[in-house]
Amino acid sequence: MSKLICVARIGAAHGVRGEVRLWTFTEDPLAVLHYGPLTTKDGSRSFEVAKAREAKDHLVAAIKGVTDRNAAERLNGLELYVPRDRLPETADDEYYHADLIGLAAETADGAQLGRVLAIHNFGAGDIIEIAPPSGSTLMLPFTNAVVPTVDLAGGRVIIELPAEIEGEERDGDDEESDAASPPPARRPRESGDP
C-alpha cells in the first residue's frame, strides 16, 4: 500500500450546519475536493469533503455526513491523509516533502551528513533540515546551489555545504581585513565543538 500523506487538518466548527474550518497542506487549497475520501492516519475513519470555499487563511468546508455543530466540533484537530499514489506527479525539480524526509544526505564526494529530517518554510524560501548522526541539526537553504541533486530512486540528496554562513564572523575580522580574500570553508559542527 502507498504511504499516507497528510493533506489537511480539521479545525473548529464554523456555524451551526456542520461546516468546519479546514487547513490544507497542498499547493492549491481546493485540491482536497479532488482526492476522494480522506482518512485518519490509522485508516479507521474516512471523510469526504463535499464542498469548500476559501476564507482568510483556511477553507470553510462541508464534510459529507456532518450536519450539525456538535458533530463538527468532535472532528476538531483531526488530520486527514491520502495515499501518496493519489497525488499528482510533480514537475522536474519539484518534490513532495514526504518524499524527501528520511533520504540520506551526503556531500558530492560521498561524505555522510545524516538524514533529511524536514523541509521548512519560514517565509523566505524552503529550508532543508538534516539530522547528523550526532550533534545539532543542519538548516540549509533548499536551493539548486546547496542541494544540486535529489536522487529519489537512490534514496539520497547531495549537499554542497555553503562556504560561509551569513552573520558569522571569521576570527581576526576587522574593518581593515582584506575584503577580497575568500571566507574559510565551514563544516557542520560535531558533538563537542564550541
Side-chain angles (χ1 to χ4, degrees):
M1 178 170 171
S2 178
K3 72 177 170 181
L4 294 175
I5 306 296
C6 183
V7 294
R9 181 180 47 82
I10 297 175
H14 180 85
V16 295
R17 296 192 176 138
E19 291 182 315
V20 296
R21 290 173 177 86
L22 188 67
W23 276 266
T24 62
F25 311 123
T26 55
E27 184 175 19
D28 172 12
L30 294 171
V32 296
L33 292 165
H34 309 292
Y35 294 142
L38 307 174
T39 66
T40 53
K41 189 171 189 172
D42 64 6
S44 65
R45 298 173 72 187
S46 181
F47 302 93
E48 196 165 333
V49 179
K51 62 182 179 175
R53 64 185 184 279
E54 293 189 59
K56 185 177 182 177
D57 61 351
H58 60 280
L59 298 178
V60 174
I63 307 233
K64 285 186 181 176
V66 178
T67 57
D68 64 51
R69 185 174 184 86
N70 290 337
E73 286 175 348
R74 287 192 292 273
L75 301 178
N76 191 359
L78 278 180
E79 291 182 334
L80 301 176
Y81 292 78
V82 65
R84 167 65 178 87
D85 57 15
R86 265 200 240 154
L87 298 176
E89 289 302 315
T90 58
D92 290 342
D93 283 344
E94 286 185 341
Y95 307 95
Y96 287 113
H97 291 192
D99 291 342
L100 298 172
I101 295 170
L103 294 180
E106 56 188 58
T107 62
D109 61 5
Q112 299 298 312
L113 296 174
R115 295 225 167 257
V116 177
L117 187 61
I119 306 294
H120 304 283
N121 190 316
F122 302 111
D126 287 335
I127 303 290
I128 188 168
E129 183 177 6
I130 299 169
S134 64
S136 299
T137 62
L138 299 170
M139 302 281 272
L140 300 167
F142 188 55
T143 62
N144 287 334
V146 176
V147 187
T149 304
V150 175
D151 179 7
L152 294 177
R156 68 188 184 134
V157 293
I158 303 297
I159 305 292
E160 290 287 339
L161 291 171
E164 182 176 347
I165 306 299
E166 187 173 328
E168 287 188 4
E169 293 183 23
R170 292 177 279 148
D171 290 338
D173 270 358
D174 59 29
E175 293 180 24
E176 304 293 321
S177 69
D178 181 7
S181 65
R186 300 284 184 193
R187 62 179 174 80
R189 288 190 173 187
E190 299 288 337
S191 180
D193 276 359

